Amino acid sequence: MINIAKTPLRKSILTALAALVLPFGAQAAADNAKDMHQLFEDNCASCHGSDHGGFLAPALNSETLKGRSPTALRSLIMTGSFDTLMPPFYGRLTDDQIRGLVSHLQSTPKLANPSWTIDDIKKSIKVYVSDESTLPEKPTYAIDSMDDVIGVAARGKYGRGSGSKAVFINSTTHKQIGEIPTGTAAHIIDYNPANPRWAYIKTDTAEIFKVDLYSMQAVRSVKTGFNGPGLGVSRDGKYIMAGSFVPHNAVILDADTLEPLKTFELEGIDPDGKMVSSDSGMVIGTPFDDIFAIALENAGQVWVVDLKEGFPVTKITDVGRHLHDAFLSHGGRKLMIASYDDSIVAAIDLKERKIIKKLEAGCVPHVGGGSAVEVDGRTLGFGTNFGDCDKTVVSVWDLDKMEVVKQIPVAGGTESPAAHANAPYVAVDIISKDRRARTVQLIDKKSLEVVKTLDVGGHAYFPEYSADGKFLYVSAGYSGDEVVVYDSTSLQKVASVSMESPAGIFSHGRVRYMTRGLSPDEMKGAK
Amino acid sequence: MKLILVTASLLLGLAAISNANAASIYAGQAKAEAVCSQCHGIKNPSAEAPFPPLAGRDADYLKTALKQYRDKTRQSDIMNAIAGSLSDDDISNVATYYARLKP
């Protein structure tokens, strides 16, 4: 699950709101299970998981909601949960529908892993532009380099609808250059390393859109599952790999046509010796080789898939308990992958295909794309962590020697570090659920100390530098409605771009520097 | 509310602003971000939502509306409950904050 830390509630107001809903009466709502299931799928599943098992929001089923007061649940659904992604359904669903949903949720067990086969994937392909030769040969807007494109996943308040889109910005002018409606919340944006015109957007509901950045339109889409953010593009730009939470599978697609080529059932023996079916964690392509690496969250394994006949898999086992996200270093040969439950980051050598070392990583590490910077001849990796314990630190590792250099105390839990070869600070977003969530802290690359705290407003998260390193973009998410742009040296606010519930920010420059903070030459050295 | 006061004074400290009027804007901002934005957004409510926008509206109109919700001369289950726990200062702060924003 992705960050579900508990909220401090705005007590007096919530108590007042709880009184709004009348006690659960005898008139038990018209409980047509099928209708209610549909209502759940259409309004809630993109966050809570199609199988009721939780995704970026908690699991909602008979087990997790056992003994909970239906009245309190109804009032929470009506008003939403303050300072979180849970939106208010007042006025969108009727009182009867909310009652019906509550009783449906409290009586439905977590569903079996639904199937979504290679045929389902194939049939889901939609073509919006059938003849790609009609597309313009260069961008239809003024831009010096496509690396200056920054994409923002605008979730939309309800995680679906007209507010859900990917918004593209020119990061030298801070003006919007295009937007792609995605139906449900955009979650990840990835770029084709071999051809700057193509971007891929993955939604909470596991659709992938192939986007032509030159004309700013989607040309194709495919549904790879029901939920799950995993997405990677191969170094030659020919393949995409996508992994799902629901169902427990992954698929390799042709990056051009989005045709599925092979699916993988994600299961394996976890570090405690149990055979488990597993969510997909990160999926990553690397400039180092024609491979994908994919994390099996629950099985604690990393699979390396060779992009050749039959797509053979090498399984690296016992990596950690509940793996999540990762980043690359050393020309893409070393993979640093976070393991939530044992609070380590495991370093993997993708050439030898084995674990190099497990490094201490604070508390519930979530590296969020990670960062690596070269300082005084050393390559230092930066790792954020949710910090659901007393220890709120950002870990710094020496990626050559694979040892912990420092654990830098920060104001709270963190989710994502941003760095750039030309910017003096590593920015981390504080996510602790109080006013600290409005802030981003800046760590000086040389002294490895927090030197500044920016109050961004909203729930500030997902910092990202522009490709030239001159500007720092931050989402004022949840209830903030804008992306805020700072000068990366003076830290003065220079612009803001309005959109609904902005979340992840993805610079096109990432295809050149592989991991944020490394110099663009990193990619050349890899070949 | 204590939380809001603490937040406001923290913010004051951070921004080193000494004027009383600015203080109320910061308190208003804190309230808006913590509570109202859940439904009304800051600059805009969600295009998908049934909530009226507040940014850039007339401050007196907002204050009157909130007081009416508070004394229930204007009926809305939700807003009656929310305004019921707002003090005169809260109302003035949050209305002033929203009124100054450009939608």
Side-chain angles (χ1 to χ4, degrees):
Chain A
M1 211 172 294
I2 303 170
N3 186 21
I4 52 148
K6 230 22 229 172
T7 341
L9 301 174
R10 298 309 179 282
K11 283 249 170 44
S12 63
I13 285 185
L14 286 194
T15 330
L17 285 173
L20 277 181
V21 274
L22 305 166
F24 205 63
Q27 78 277 44
D31 193 354
N32 180 330
K34 213 164 140 223
D35 289 357
M36 286 307 144
H37 184 68
Q38 198 55 45
L39 207 58
F40 176 79
E41 289 296 319
D42 292 345
N43 291 281
C44 325
S46 66
C47 294
H48 289 283
S50 258
D51 61 351
H52 296 242
F55 175 40
L56 43 86
L60 300 177
N61 56 54
S62 50
E63 192 55 40
T64 60
L65 298 177
K66 198 154 135 191
R68 297 280 293 274
S69 142
T71 310
L73 292 174
R74 279 161 56 211
S75 110
L76 186 143
I77 295 167
M78 204 152 117
T79 63
S81 178
F82 290 77
D83 257 345
T84 75
L85 284 176
M86 173 67 194
F89 283 93
Y90 173 86
R92 277 176 67 91
L93 298 178
T94 64
D95 194 40
D96 273 353
Q97 286 175 316
I98 295 179
R99 280 167 192 276
L101 266 175
V102 168
S103 72
H104 175 68
L105 296 175
Q106 292 199 292
S107 57
T108 308
K110 178 176 182 299
L111 306 181
N113 202 10
S115 82
W116 188 252
T117 64
I118 196 161
D119 285 335
D120 295 319
I121 298 174
K122 206 172 273 169
K123 277 191 227 129
S124 73
I125 295 176
K126 292 194 185 120
V127 178
Y128 310 108
V129 175
S130 52
D131 182 1
E132 291 183 3
S133 70
T134 61
L135 294 171
E137 267 159 41
K138 49 184 197 337
T140 53
Y141 42 88
I143 195 154
D144 294 337
S145 154
M146 287 306 283
D147 287 342
D148 292 335
V149 172
I150 270 195
V152 186
R155 301 188 44 83
K157 183 91 179 168
Y158 294 89
R160 62 177 56 240
S162 58
S164 300
K165 53 197 174 191
V167 176
F168 292 95
I169 298 168
N170 178 335
S171 64
T172 59
T173 60
H174 320 305
K175 296 275 187 290
Q176 183 171 326
I177 46 181
E179 59 179 52
I180 311 292
T182 48
T184 55
H187 199 126
I188 300 271
I189 302 172
D190 219 332
Y191 300 98
N192 191 310
N195 185 338
R197 82 177 307 149
W198 304 121
Y200 305 93
I201 304 168
K202 192 167 186 203
T203 66
D204 281 350
T205 44
E207 286 96 6
I208 294 175
F209 290 83
K210 176 188 175 193
V211 171
D212 175 35
L213 292 174
Y214 289 178
S215 59
M216 284 293 168
Q217 61 183 321
V219 296
R220 280 170 183 254
S221 69
V222 63
K223 186 166 173 63
T224 56
F226 295 101
N227 298 114
L231 174 66
V233 186
S234 62
R235 69 172 179 181
D236 59 9
K238 291 194 180 138
Y239 302 98
I240 301 175
M241 189 167 187
S244 297
F245 273 52
V246 185
H248 292 157
N249 70 10
V251 58
I252 291 186
L253 309 168
D254 179 315
D256 197 30
T257 61
L258 305 185
E259 288 282 338
L261 303 174
K262 183 172 181 185
T263 55
F264 302 80
E265 283 305 311
L266 303 179
E267 55 185 18
I269 294 175
D270 73 11
D272 300 309
K274 272 215 319 262
M275 182 72 183
V276 293
S277 170
S278 181
D279 294 341
S280 154
M282 67 86 212
V283 179
I284 204 164
T286 166
F288 174 69
D289 202 354
D290 294 313
I291 54 173
F292 280 118
I294 174 170
L296 275 66
E297 297 217 332
N298 319 73
Q301 303 190 357
V302 171
W303 291 3
V304 179
V305 184
D306 282 290
L307 296 174
K308 60 185 189 202
E309 188 62 35
F311 301 110
V313 173
T314 310
K315 299 179 182 178
I316 304 169
T317 59
D318 298 316
V319 177
R321 292 176 179 79
H322 204 154
L323 303 180
H324 190 60
D325 49 7
F327 66 96
L328 294 163
S329 161
H330 292 76
R333 175 173 170 172
K334 293 183 186 176
L335 178 78
M336 308 293 294
I337 177 158
S339 165
Y340 282 168
D341 293 355
D342 24 36
S343 288
I344 52 126
V345 161
I348 288 178
D349 182 336
L350 289 175
K351 180 156 188 237
E352 304 296 331
R353 302 190 176 184
K354 61 179 199 211
I355 300 167
I356 305 168
K357 204 163 177 184
K358 296 184 182 180
L359 297 167
E360 218 182 296
C363 185
V364 195
H366 180 279
V367 295
S371 276
V373 299
E374 272 155 33
V375 191
D376 302 331
R378 296 194 294 184
T379 305
L380 300 181
F382 286 76
T384 41
N385 53 105
F386 290 154
D388 298 347
C389 62
D390 293 341
K391 195 172 179 183
T392 57
V393 292
V394 166
S395 303
V396 183
W397 308 287
D398 181 324
L399 299 180
D400 304 314
K401 296 194 190 135
M402 285 300 170
E403 58 191 31
V404 179
V405 172
K406 187 168 178 186
Q407 297 211 300
I408 305 168
V410 288
T414 49
E415 194 165 45
S416 172
H420 192 284
N422 303 336
Y425 309 114
V426 176
V428 297
D429 50 346
I430 307 295
I431 56 163
S432 300
K433 301 279 170 89
D434 50 37
R435 68 167 299 283
R436 285 175 291 171
R438 300 161 46 125
T439 61
V440 164
Q441 290 201 304
L442 296 135
I443 297 167
D444 185 273
K445 280 185 193 171
K446 292 207 174 259
S447 68
L448 300 182
E449 309 228 347
V450 171
V451 288
K452 264 196 181 114
T453 302
L454 286 178
D455 189 329
V456 182
H459 174 109
Y461 60 173
F462 298 115
E464 174 80 325
Y465 283 103
S466 58
D468 58 12
K470 289 190 183 136
F471 300 102
L472 176 65
Y473 277 63
V474 185
S475 279
Y478 295 5
S479 302
D481 317 315
E482 58 185 11
V483 167
V484 184
V485 187
Y486 295 91
D487 179 293
S488 50
T489 309
S490 72
L491 300 176
Q492 294 300 309
K493 180 171 169 175
V494 293
S496 70
V497 187
S498 289
M499 65 191 80
E500 206 176 301
S501 305
I505 307 185
F506 306 86
S507 165
H508 197 286
R510 288 188 189 201
V511 300
R512 291 211 300 139
Y513 39 71
M514 182 180 75
T515 294
R516 298 178 297 167
L518 292 173
S519 96
D521 305 333
E522 188 70 15
M523 299 288 282
K524 290 186 216 127
K527 300 274 161 75
Chain B
M1 286 181 79
K2 198 167 158 219
L3 171 74
I4 301 297
L5 287 176
V6 171
T7 310
S9 55
L10 268 175
L11 280 167
L12 270 177
L14 276 180
I17 282 173
S18 56
N19 114 19
N21 191 30
S24 66
I25 301 270
Y26 277 102
Q29 177 177 8
K31 189 85 179 176
E33 281 178 355
V35 182
C36 325
S37 64
Q38 171 76 359
C39 296
H40 296 284
I42 295 291
K43 290 185 178 169
N44 287 298
S46 166
E48 300 282 314
F51 306 111
L54 301 181
R57 307 270 304 268
D58 181 63
D60 287 331
Y61 174 84
L62 295 178
K63 280 180 212 167
T64 311
L66 286 165
K67 286 181 179 159
Q68 287 170 341
Y69 285 128
R70 189 173 61 182
D71 63 25
K72 302 209 166 91
T73 48
R74 185 169 171 187
Q75 289 289 329
S76 152
D77 289 348
I78 287 221
M79 282 311 300
N80 293 151
I82 285 176
S85 64
L86 298 178
S87 68
D88 280 355
D89 277 353
D90 289 337
I91 288 179
S92 154
N93 293 345
V94 77
T96 313
Y97 171 70
Y98 268 117
R100 286 191 165 205
L101 289 176
K102 288 191 203 75

